[in-house]
Amino acid sequence: MRIAILSDVHANREAFDVVLEAARERGTDQLVLLGDLVGYGPDPVYMVEKAADLVDQGALCIMGNHDEAVALNRGDMTENARVASRWTRERLAPVHVDFLARLPLSLQSEDRLYVHASAERPGKWLYIRDVDAADRCLSSSKSRFIFCGHTHIPALYYALPGRRPIHFKPLDNVAVPFSILSRHLVIVGAVGQPRDGNPAACFALVDTERHEVSMIRVPYDHEETARKIAAFGLPAWLGMRLKIGR
């Protein structure tokens, strides 16, 4: 089975559409959305409605911190995020907000746990930026595989029984084998707002038969997304960072 795992779309229609097409071209059997459907980007209505349709077709979808902020009208975020969250909520209908509010914080599928931030207190939106955070995440679940987003930077951590995880930086579009002896934590990068210096959209493609994962990079028209961000009066930095991948 091939599983396409997408995170942090952030209402970026241009990025999402090309990633979805790339996933389909690769014969994906299962689609997983790891949250932050909205926030920052200019197409929240499109994204929520698209996600709802995909869930009806069998996709899995969980909540991210920006989804929660919009659904619960929370303001404990950075200034740019707060402005975008308020703008997003003003454009969503009650049915859209209800969809976001009903998303689960995590989902289990066989030996795979899906969570937006960390398995360690999922609703606290903790970042996994180092081995210590990865160790706490893995220690909070017995799943062999944990998949998450939130940092917007792709990464892998391998953990042998009784040992601390080892960090591995995956290469773009190069398959990485899973170890039979290890547990794995996979941070899948970001579709709609990459922050690893590469502006191309990123998603993870897992092949359960070949026992491997690839971080697939897909260029998209980030200039068009930035144009819409500016046209809607959203903070200029939200468009600029799409161009530089930061």
Side-chain angles (χ1 to χ4, degrees):
M1 181 169 67
R2 286 190 164 191
I3 309 170
I5 308 175
L6 288 58
S7 189
D8 298 279
V9 179
H10 286 296
N12 187 333
R13 178 174 182 166
E14 288 72 33
F16 181 75
D17 283 351
V18 298
V19 162
L20 198 61
E21 181 61 27
R24 288 170 174 164
E25 289 175 351
R26 286 164 173 77
T28 298
D29 303 295
Q30 175 75 67
L31 181 69
V32 181
L33 304 174
L34 291 186
D36 276 2
L37 302 173
V38 299
Y40 296 137
D43 285 298
V45 172
Y46 174 83
M47 193 57 234
V48 174
E49 291 182 349
K50 191 71 174 179
D53 288 344
L54 290 168
V55 168
D56 287 342
Q57 296 168 29
L60 302 180
C61 186
I62 61 176
M63 179 185 287
N65 57 303
H66 286 259
D67 305 323
E68 181 193 61
V70 170
L72 302 183
N73 202 20
R74 295 184 58 176
D76 50 340
M77 313 175 79
T78 65
E79 179 62 21
N80 284 341
R82 187 162 53 249
V83 169
S85 179
R86 184 167 59 247
W87 179 90
T88 297
R89 189 176 176 89
E90 290 171 352
R91 278 148 184 81
L92 296 183
V95 65
H96 302 134
V97 175
D98 184 65
F99 175 80
L100 295 176
R102 291 177 178 272
L103 292 174
L105 289 174
S106 64
L107 283 172
Q108 186 80 40
S109 179
E110 298 180 352
D111 56 357
R112 301 177 294 275
L113 175 67
Y114 300 114
V115 61
H116 178 68
S118 174
E120 180 195 7
R121 298 182 293 166
K124 294 297 183 181
W125 313 116
L126 304 173
Y127 287 94
I128 302 173
R129 291 176 169 144
D130 54 34
V131 170
D132 288 338
D135 193 21
R136 292 192 297 270
C137 175
L138 286 162
S139 298
S140 300
S141 170
K142 295 182 180 180
S143 299
R144 185 181 172 205
F145 301 95
I146 301 175
F147 296 91
C148 62
H150 197 44
T151 67
H152 296 219
I153 299 174
L156 279 79
Y157 293 88
Y158 292 79
L160 289 167
R163 298 187 182 180
R164 283 167 55 79
I166 297 173
H167 172 260
F168 177 79
K169 181 179 179 180
L171 298 176
D172 298 341
N173 306 306
V174 176
V176 179
F178 289 129
S179 167
I180 296 176
L181 301 178
S182 300
R183 296 177 64 215
H184 307 79
L185 169 60
V186 182
I187 303 176
V188 303
V191 170
Q193 197 189 84
R195 297 180 185 171
D196 61 343
N198 182 351
C202 182
F203 74 100
L205 184 64
V206 175
D207 192 318
T208 62
E209 294 183 2
R210 296 175 64 91
H211 306 290
E212 64 185 26
V213 60
S214 305
M215 297 299 180
I216 307 298
R217 303 307 290 251
V218 190
Y220 73 97
D221 189 356
H222 52 72
E223 293 285 355
E224 173 60 13
T225 310
R227 184 196 66 78
K228 290 193 287 188
I229 286 173
F232 285 126
L234 289 164
W237 171 239
L238 298 181
M240 178 59 68
R241 74 186 315 170
L242 299 181
K243 302 176 184 181
I244 62 176
R246 291 292 183 187

